[in-house]
Amino acid sequence: TQGDLLVTGFPRRSNGSANGAYAIRGEHHGRPVFQRIGSKGPFIYFWDDRDGESWCGWWLGPILGGAEVWGYHPKEDMMPPEYGWRSPWHGEDSKVIRMSVSGRVSLLEVRPKKKEVVPKWIAEPGFGEALTEDAQLLQ
């Protein structure tokens, strides 16, 4: 099965396997989210430093952002690093875990899209009138 990312070398777990093909399924904290093809999980996702530096990096777990995690990598790259994953997450770097990004996935596809900022008074006609009425009430 082809996908956007291929995971190999993760130890087998009683509640599922992390190994296999993954597809990009969205974005989380400015990086792509990968979900194993043909299943409800696991997910590979990035967590930024909003909860502290020690939580920042790439994670692999049965649900996105869950307390149960199967793997971790501290790098802040745009895509999951190929080598250096830890499983368990607090363990040593594994020499056998590998994440291979497909050659068809370009960084342009996964860069966070910048939202166009449109002032509310342009996006919602009549909003400026409401501001005028509120200002008159304050006088």
Side-chain angles (χ1 to χ4, degrees), residues 8-110:
T8 58
F10 261 93
R12 184 114 178 104
R13 307 184 99 58
S14 61
N15 58 345
S17 174
N19 297 318
Y22 287 69
I24 294 175
R25 294 290 187 234
E27 204 174 89
H28 187 263
H29 291 197
R31 308 287 194 284
V33 171
F34 296 86
Q35 181 180 11
R36 198 160 124 229
I37 295 172
S39 66
K40 293 183 179 180
F43 295 88
I44 300 165
Y45 58 94
F46 181 78
W47 199 271
D48 63 21
D49 62 0
R50 69 185 66 191
D51 295 320
E53 296 256 340
S54 60
W55 301 109
C56 186
W58 285 93
W59 296 87
L60 185 147
I63 61 172
L64 195 147
E68 180 184 352
V69 293
W70 300 349
Y72 169 72
H73 198 297
K75 275 198 165 181
E76 296 182 42
D77 296 352
M78 284 301 295
M79 297 294 283
E82 187 170 9
Y83 293 105
W85 284 81
R86 301 173 188 169
S87 183
W89 70 272
H90 50 74
E92 298 293 319
D93 291 1
S94 169
K95 305 261 188 266
V96 296
I97 296 171
R98 181 178 181 201
M99 296 200 183
S100 306
V101 176
S102 167
R104 65 190 179 102
V105 177
S106 77
L107 285 179
L108 293 176
E109 293 178 50
V110 298

Side-chain angles (χ1 to χ4, degrees), residues 134-139:
D134 290 345
Q136 289 173 354
L137 291 173
L138 294 173
Q139 293 178 355

